């Protein structure tokens, strides 16, 4: 039974920081973070490939967000710095992109398993 459990969401001030965590059950090679803000479609945030340690980011978060693996807890963390109001969203993690290319381009249609999400509010 595949499970992804997100945590760490909450409220932050503009310019503040939060750290999200996604605990992933079972073996996996690709894990990614996505988000859906109010009135917006879901978009990719960051993705990680365990094989090479490669990480990809959406342009909107480059330089502010960092995805890093927590091998002890089988998790992928997302450190979010210099938060902006437009970062307000429900954040989801997903695993098992069908191709590496889809993972690298944050193609959400290629991910098979999703968590329930954690809310981030920046004001």
């Amino acid at each position: 039974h595949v499970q992804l459990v997100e945590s760490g969401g909450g409220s932050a001030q503009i310019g503040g920081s939060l750290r999200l965590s996604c605990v992933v059950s079972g073996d996996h090679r690709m894990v990614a973070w996505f988000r859906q803000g109010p009135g917006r479609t879901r978009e990719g945030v960051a993705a990680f490939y365990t094989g090479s340690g490669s990480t990809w980011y959406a342009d909107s978060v480059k330089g502010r967000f960092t995805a890093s693996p927590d091998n002890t807890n089988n998790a992928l963390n997302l450190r979010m710095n210099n938060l902006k109001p437009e970062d307000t969203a429900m954040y989801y993690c997903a695993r098992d992109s069908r191709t590496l290319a889809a993972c690298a381009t944050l193609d959400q249609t290629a991910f098979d398993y999703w968590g329930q999400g954690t809310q981030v509010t920046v004001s």
Side-chain angles (χ1 to χ4, degrees):
H1 179 62
V2 177
Q3 278 192 310
L4 299 96
V5 180
E6 304 96 334
S7 63
S11 297
Q13 293 184 334
I14 296 171
S17 299
L18 285 173
R19 191 190 75 160
L20 306 183
S21 180
C22 172
V23 177
V24 186
S25 68
D27 293 334
H28 57 274
R29 300 179 70 197
M30 303 171 211
V31 183
W33 283 98
F34 295 85
R35 67 184 181 186
Q36 186 167 12
R40 301 175 68 176
T41 57
R42 191 163 58 187
E43 62 179 359
V45 176
F48 179 80
Y49 174 52
T50 61
S52 63
S54 298
T55 311
W56 300 273
Y57 298 95
D59 288 343
S60 59
V61 306
K62 279 181 182 176
R64 300 189 299 121
F65 289 13
T66 303
S68 59
D70 176 356
N71 295 324
T72 300
N73 296 305
N74 211 34
L76 182 68
N77 296 327
L78 184 68
R79 177 68 178 181
M80 306 185 296
N81 295 328
N82 190 22
L83 285 163
K84 304 176 180 181
E86 51 264 42
D87 294 320
T88 294
M90 183 71 79
Y91 283 73
Y92 301 90
C93 66
R95 60 165 270 190
D96 294 349
S97 171
R98 292 168 204 153
T99 68
L100 183 57
C103 181
T105 56
L106 299 171
D107 179 1
Q108 60 181 294
T109 65
F111 284 81
D112 292 326
Y113 300 100
W114 293 78
Q116 293 300 306
T118 185
Q119 178 68 38
V120 170
T121 302
V122 183
S123 62

